[in-house]
Amino acid sequence: MHAEPRVSIHPDSKVLMAAIAARLITKLVDVQDKHGEATVVLTGGTVGIGTLKAVADSAAAPAVDWSRVNFWWGDERFVAADSDDRNTRQAHQALLSHLNVDPARVHEPGSTDQFATAAEAATAYEEELRAAAEAEHAADMSDDRPEQPGNLPRFDVLLLGVGPDAHIASLFPEQGGIREKSRTVVGVENSPKPPPSRISLTLPAINTAQEIWMVVAGEDKAGAVGLALAGANPVQVPAAGPAGRARTLWLIDENAASRVPQQLVRKDPAGA
């Protein structure tokens, strides 16, 4: 069962990123109160990295026990580990290097320094996710624990940007990655957006997240946002595919909102 999407529109990208940061801090505190730890899946892009910088700049950031936050990534560029193209490198510069994180909880997809191909890096990331799921299952003493561990740990919040072509993570329209049903991670070659080799969570993996936050700014994204919220086919419009188990939030600025169906728009406070 997945929730219907909710849309929250903010005046501009700067306000948007500050609002997402405030919402993320609040959510992580709430999840830690319940589970003792929290897991977030990060995204790159202007809004994704700008949001992380806004978290670092927030006076409320110390409310989170950052040493008990697990970090994963929805996708990564398959380049050298020290490349500025890496989402992980940008996330460290914007946020992680400023926090008391536990390095063992920071799960970066592999780089060209470690693997010969994106497919090999994807398989390794898939195995790392599976191992985390097994460890989480072993530690779970609750009455409703499933009999068998799944292939993925619990994702409390998963952040996703959207490209002008409606791609999400590194799942591009009509390509094999968006069609993948059985894998949790895929290697991507011939990406229409450079660099050509990437690693990405698949849509089925993305949709195990408790909450998915689609974070989008810019007039060049308006068409993609409108098509996604109008219920387009995810193979043609990957942004139409994400659906969180508990909540799917579209957190967007006014420039990206011009083609959003009005019945989906709710002017709700940042923490709602």
Side-chain angles (χ1 to χ4, degrees), residues 36-258:
E37 61 180 26
T39 299
V40 60
V41 181
L42 301 180
T43 187
T46 304
V47 178
I49 300 302
T51 294
L52 299 186
K53 187 175 187 313
V55 171
D57 292 342
S58 172
V64 178
D65 181 353
W66 294 104
S67 70
R68 296 190 62 79
V69 177
N70 305 303
F71 296 93
W72 299 86
W73 275 265
D75 76 316
E76 183 55 284
R77 289 82 177 266
F78 186 61
V79 291
D82 62 355
S83 170
D84 288 337
D85 280 340
R86 296 261 303 175
N87 292 330
T88 48
R89 182 173 172 84
Q90 294 175 32
H92 276 281
Q93 291 171 342
L95 178 66
L96 300 184
S97 64
H98 305 284
L99 302 173
N100 179 32
V101 298
D102 178 353
R105 292 178 181 265
V106 180
H107 304 275
E108 299 184 11
S111 67
T112 56
D113 306 83
Q114 302 163 288
F115 299 97
T117 66
E120 291 176 16
T123 297
Y125 209 49
E126 198 168 42
E127 291 170 355
E128 190 172 355
L129 284 158
R130 185 180 298 112
E134 290 173 353
E136 185 177 277
H137 182 268
D140 184 1
M141 296 293 106
S142 65
D143 293 336
D144 59 354
R145 180 178 75 166
E147 291 186 12
Q148 297 295 327
N151 290 325
L152 294 163
R154 185 190 72 250
F155 294 153
D156 297 303
V157 179
L158 186 148
L159 301 171
L160 282 176
V162 175
D165 63 351
H167 82 267
I168 52 167
S170 284
L171 304 177
F172 294 91
E174 303 283 1
Q175 290 200 348
I178 190 60
R179 300 175 188 271
E180 178 61 47
K181 297 288 197 294
S182 58
R183 299 281 304 274
T184 57
V185 187
V186 289
V188 176
E189 300 293 351
N190 302 314
S191 160
K193 182 180 179 182
S197 296
R198 293 154 176 261
I199 303 145
S200 183
L201 294 184
T202 62
L203 186 58
I206 287 167
N207 285 347
T208 66
Q210 293 301 305
E211 296 197 8
I212 296 175
W213 298 3
M214 310 292 289
V215 296
V216 194
E219 193 173 355
D220 61 329
K221 314 291 180 65
V225 171
L227 286 171
L229 287 167
N233 185 320
V235 173
Q236 285 80 42
V237 182
R245 291 180 182 272
R247 180 178 276 192
T248 308
L249 291 175
W250 284 77
L251 304 170
I252 63 181
D253 74 351
E254 288 187 357
N255 286 330
S258 61

